[in-house]
């Protein structure tokens, strides 16, 4: 299969020159506990998840002869490494507020250890491909529709835009590696079904934990929040079409061509590019 990755695409990490608020306001997204903890819960998952993504691609790096893809792998590893460090600091801000971040992280760490011990390298890479598609379509939503973070602290908006920009840039790296070293579409689809289940489970449980810690597991908070996620115009609802495309026999991440979003937002972080 011919890759649809733009031939002139450059994937280069950026150092985010940003100090997160200290202390972090408890409900930094428009004063809304549900929306805030949706993003907080995802953030807690990122450091361990992104280290897993890096490891799964590294397992096959030496098998890749294409110099362009090898350079993309280098950029992917650099970007994911920077994301992990920024979100570790984010997690520390949550700890400082008294949230049990260690409990939230422990479930992900256990699952990753199990996967790395019991799953083949190909299966691990397929899981990375699946989650990279998930993060890519969420990243596009954040970049394309600023209203999802309307009313958020400017520093937090910038953090999530930076992460979304780089997730968009490298969204096809794991897929392109997988198609060169394996190419089994059936395995990709199975990995997506499993990844979707555990991602939604982990994010939901994390949100409940954070909301419970705030005394905000209230019917109105939950009803409004679930409508924001799953209502007719909800955050996840808007992703469903692009999500389903993944299961097609000819799927490639760049069939969702959002280079316009890259060009629109890249200038904001151009001074942060690492050479």
């Amino acid at each position: 299969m011919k890759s649809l990755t733009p031939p002139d695409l450059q994937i280069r990490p950026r150092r985010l020159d940003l100090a997160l608020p200290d202390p972090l306001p408890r409900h930094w997204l428009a004063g809304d506990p549900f929306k805030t903890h949706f993003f907080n819960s995802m953030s807690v998952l990122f450091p361990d998840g992104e280290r897993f993504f890096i490891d799964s691609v590294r397992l096959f790096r030496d098998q890749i002869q294409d110099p362009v893809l090898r350079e993309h792998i280098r950029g992917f590893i650099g970007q994911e490494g920077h994301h992990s460090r920024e979100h570790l600091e984010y997690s520390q801000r949550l700890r400082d507020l008294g949230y049990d971040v260690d409990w939230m992280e422990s479930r992900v760490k256990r699952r990753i250890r199990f996967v790395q011990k019991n799953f083949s390298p190909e299966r691990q890479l397929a899981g990375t491909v699946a989650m990279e598609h998930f993060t890519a379509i969420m990243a596009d939503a954040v970049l394309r529709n600023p209203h999802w973070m309307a009313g958020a602290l400017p520093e937090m908006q910038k953090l999530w835009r930076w992460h979304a920009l780089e997730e968009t840039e490298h969204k096809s790296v794991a897929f392109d590696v997988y198609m060169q070293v394996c190419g089994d579409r059936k395995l990709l689809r199975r990995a997506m079904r499993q990844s979707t289940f555990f991602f939604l489970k982990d994010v939901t449980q994390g949100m409940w934990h954070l909301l419970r810690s705030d005394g905000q597991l209230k019917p109105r908070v939950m009803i409004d929040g679930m409508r924001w996620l799953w209502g007719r115009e909800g955050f996840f609802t808007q992703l469903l079409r692009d999500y389903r495309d993944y299961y097609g026999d000819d799927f490639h991440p760049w069939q969702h061509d959002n280079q316009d979003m890259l060009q629109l937002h890249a200038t904001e972080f151009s001074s942060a590019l690492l050479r």
Side-chain angles (χ1 to χ4, degrees), residues 1-12:
M1 172 185 173
K2 186 179 185 299
S3 174
L4 297 180
T5 301
D8 58 347
L9 179 68
Q10 291 188 316
I11 302 173
R12 293 160 58 190

Side-chain angles (χ1 to χ4, degrees), residues 15-207:
R15 181 178 288 112
L16 184 62
D17 185 15
L18 175 71
L20 294 179
D22 188 10
L24 182 67
R26 196 166 290 273
H27 302 142
W28 53 262
L29 206 172
D32 188 305
F34 188 100
K35 295 176 183 178
T36 298
H37 289 323
F38 168 70
F39 283 99
N40 287 345
S41 182
M42 283 200 299
S43 178
V44 170
L45 303 178
F46 286 153
D48 291 297
E50 286 167 332
R51 283 192 290 267
F52 172 79
F53 301 161
I54 290 170
D55 290 343
S56 70
V57 170
R58 276 180 171 155
L59 289 171
F60 296 96
R61 179 168 54 181
D62 291 344
Q63 298 182 34
I64 301 300
Q65 303 302 316
D66 178 358
V68 174
L69 183 52
R70 287 181 66 87
E71 185 65 18
H72 286 176
I73 291 171
R74 190 171 75 88
F76 168 83
I77 291 173
Q79 288 184 341
E80 293 289 49
H82 280 278
H83 298 172
S84 182
R85 287 190 288 274
E86 291 294 336
H87 286 276
L88 282 172
E89 182 179 349
Y90 189 161
S91 291
Q92 186 56 50
R93 293 289 191 275
L94 296 175
R95 284 188 181 90
D96 294 342
L97 293 174
Y99 297 118
D100 191 352
V101 173
D102 291 342
W103 176 84
M104 297 170 66
E105 290 177 341
S106 65
R107 297 168 301 122
V108 180
K109 291 178 186 293
R110 284 196 301 270
R111 187 177 309 121
I112 289 175
R113 285 196 298 268
F114 176 86
V115 168
Q116 291 180 323
K117 180 179 179 181
N118 295 284
F119 286 15
S120 70
E122 290 80 9
R123 174 63 184 82
Q124 293 178 47
L125 182 59
T128 293
V129 173
M131 283 309 305
E132 282 293 301
H133 180 59
F134 224 126
T135 56
I137 61 178
M138 289 191 294
D140 184 70
V142 168
L143 295 177
R144 194 172 296 278
N145 300 304
H147 72 269
W148 293 121
M149 301 199 76
L153 289 179
E155 299 93 332
M156 302 306 287
Q157 290 188 28
K158 185 174 183 179
L159 169 70
W160 285 99
R161 283 197 307 273
W162 164 77
H163 194 149
L165 173 66
E166 295 199 342
E167 288 296 329
T168 300
E169 276 186 352
H170 70 233
K171 66 180 178 178
S172 67
V173 175
F175 180 90
D176 287 342
V177 171
Y178 180 87
M179 294 306 292
Q180 286 203 19
V181 301
C182 180
D184 183 347
R185 294 274 185 171
K186 184 177 180 181
L187 181 58
L188 280 185
R189 289 189 282 268
R190 183 162 73 246
M192 178 57 95
R193 289 190 290 269
Q194 293 172 339
S195 297
T196 301
F197 172 80
F198 284 111
F199 175 78
L200 294 178
K201 174 177 177 288
D202 289 340
V203 171
T204 301
Q205 287 183 337
M207 280 196 299

